Structure formats: C-alpha cells, structure tokens
Amino acid sequence: MSSSSSSRPQQPQRASTSTVQPPAWQAPYHKTADLGYPDFHPPRPGQEEDSMAEAYVKNGYTAKPIVQTDNFTVHEMIHDTWEKADQGVLRQLGDLMSEVALRRERAVPAIGSSTFKFPDRRTFTGPKSQAWFNDLANPAVPLSKLNKIIPHGPKGSELLDMLESNRVPTQRAVWYVCVAGAVEIQNMVRARTSFNPSQYSIELATTVTSYLRKHLDLLVLPRAQTVGGTAIRSTFRSILSEPESRDKWIHKFSYT
C-alpha cells in the first residue's frame, strides 16, 4: 500500500494567482463605490475578453462602447426648450449662477499686497564681505536675514570662482546670482532707458559657457611625437594625473 502510493507521480503545485495593486499614491475614482483607479486596469476573473468564444478566437476581442451615443448632444433640445419656457425661469437660473459665482469669489482667500523689496547693495570691507559670504554658505543662516543688504561682489568668472571657493550650496548660490542680477538690472534700467533686461541673461549665459570652456581647456591630451617616422616617448603631465589637482578640478567643474 505504501509502496504503491509512493510510486505515484506527485501532482505539480498550482501557482498562486497574483493580484496587481495600484500605486500607493494613486487615488481611486470614488471613496466608497468600486469604480477603479485612473489609468489602472488590472485583469480580473471573469472578464469578457478572457472568453474563448468562436467570434473572439477568429476575429479578436472588441470592447463594446459604454455610451452608445457618445457623439450625440442635447444642446439643441435644451436650447429649444428654454426658448419656449417662461423668461422668469431663465432669470432665476441667471440669478442662481450669479450667486454661485459670488459665493465662490468670497470663498477664495484674500491675497495681501506683496511686501517683497529688492535688497540694498553696499560696499563692504574685506572681513565684513567675507563674513557675509560665510553666512551665505551656511545653510543654518536663513536667506531672509541676508536679503536686507547684499555686498558689491565680483562679476563674471570671478563670481563663480568666489562661490565655489566659499563652498556655497548650489541653491543658495543660485539665489545670490538671481538677487544680485535683479538689483543690477534694476540699476541699469534706471540709468539707461534703452537697456534690454534680457541682455543681462545673455551675458550671464555667455560667462558660464566661457567658464566651462576654460576648465575643459585644462584637460590637455597627450600627443605622439615622431622623429624620422619613428615614434618617441614623451613626458605627459595632465591636471588629472595628480590627486589634489584632479579633485579640485572635478569639484569646480561639477559645481559649475
């Protein structure tokens, strides 16, 4: 008995059916009704497209339209009905829509007037200017504290070198460039009525491009030298060959 049972082939285990779940951040169509999720259509047992009907096998499955008259409009029917209706009904409908618009306008929170003001720009002494940029590099110092007065700083590639050497975080460096640029544009517009503010953005883009090109030019590639058709060994020294200069170059290029 035991020997015959042991000789029987074992039935393969049936694989469990997996259930596809929507992303955790995806909200359903409805909180209580089972209407599914937007753009999420997992397979379900008993689907019509799973049927092995002869028509589906031969011609494939074609979903039936949910709305039979999806290109039909009742605009003309409603328009004709309203034309024949009492004008008082139309006035009541207009008053209702006006009341809805008025209540919606009252529900919108009031937005106060802007209190933003461009910071003053002053000339600081060396230690005071360095202390200001040290605060700019410190994420613990809020920008609202630095927004009152900004120092006259360098421009062009010197500005990028200064931000990189002081290890100013990228977001705070972009803030300083934007604020300093806005103050510069404001002063230029006051001094010259024909000044085009977009020209400042073009000059800044040119400065950044030239700055990157200058650093790329430091990467000197070795060239083979020949004498009388015979290649000779040459001494090659690149900025990337030394660990200290390599780390400095990579940090500056990545920062820019």
Side-chain angles (χ1 to χ4, degrees):
M1 185 78 178
S2 59
S3 60
S4 60
S5 61
S6 60
S7 61
R8 293 178 183 177
Q10 296 182 356
Q11 297 293 334
Q13 295 182 357
R14 189 174 182 178
S16 60
T17 304
S18 61
T19 303
V20 182
Q21 298 294 336
W25 50 264
Q26 182 68 277
Y29 279 119
H30 198 272
K31 294 183 178 180
T32 57
D34 186 14
L35 300 180
Y37 294 81
D39 299 326
F40 180 74
H41 308 285
R44 296 184 178 182
Q47 294 181 128
E48 189 175 359
E49 55 263 36
D50 295 337
S51 173
M52 297 299 292
E54 182 179 357
Y56 293 163
V57 174
K58 289 183 178 180
N59 306 321
Y61 173 75
T62 303
K64 298 178 182 179
I66 300 178
V67 181
Q68 301 295 333
T69 56
D70 56 348
N71 58 349
F72 177 75
T73 176
V74 295
H75 178 269
E76 296 297 334
M77 298 173 56
I78 296 177
H79 186 267
D80 295 341
T81 303
W82 283 119
E83 282 189 342
K84 299 175 183 178
D86 185 7
Q87 294 297 321
V89 177
L90 296 178
R91 285 194 295 269
Q92 291 180 2
L93 180 61
D95 295 340
L96 174 62
M97 299 306 298
S98 299
E99 183 67 19
V100 170
L102 181 60
R103 293 190 179 186
R104 178 181 295 179
E105 183 178 355
R106 291 174 179 174
V108 175
I111 301 177
S113 58
S114 176
T115 58
F116 175 78
K117 181 182 178 181
F118 283 114
D120 295 332
R121 190 168 58 172
R122 300 179 183 177
T123 302
F124 289 171
T125 58
K128 192 173 182 179
S129 178
Q130 184 61 43
W132 191 93
F133 282 106
N134 291 339
D135 290 339
L136 179 64
N138 186 6
V141 179
L143 294 177
S144 57
K145 177 182 177 181
L146 305 176
N147 192 39
K148 299 178 181 179
I149 300 175
I150 62 174
H152 278 280
K155 299 179 182 180
S157 60
E158 296 180 358
L159 171 62
L160 300 178
D161 285 332
M162 182 270 299
L163 294 174
E164 187 272 334
S165 61
N166 284 275
R167 306 286 179 170
V168 179
T170 306
Q171 294 183 348
R172 296 171 71 90
V174 171
W175 173 85
Y176 173 74
V177 172
C178 292
V179 171
V183 175
E184 183 71 20
I185 291 175
Q186 185 183 49
N187 295 336
M188 294 296 293
V189 170
R190 292 176 179 175
R192 295 186 299 171
T193 57
S194 60
F195 176 74
N196 186 6
S198 62
Q199 185 63 31
Y200 183 87
S201 300
I202 296 175
E203 293 176 357
L204 179 61
T206 303
T207 299
V208 176
T209 304
S210 302
Y211 188 80
L212 293 174
R213 185 182 295 111
K214 181 184 70 174
H215 288 290
L216 289 175
D217 290 340
L218 296 176
L219 299 179
V220 181
L221 299 178
R223 296 180 180 180
Q225 299 181 3
T226 59
V227 176
T230 303
I232 61 174
R233 298 182 60 183
S234 61
T235 302
F236 170 67
R237 186 175 184 180
S238 171
I239 192 174
L240 301 181
S241 59
E242 300 293 335
E244 183 178 356
S245 60
R246 181 179 65 249
D247 294 342
K248 184 177 180 181
W249 186 93
I250 292 176
H251 180 272
K252 181 174 292 187
F253 188 81
S254 302
Y255 183 85
T256 308

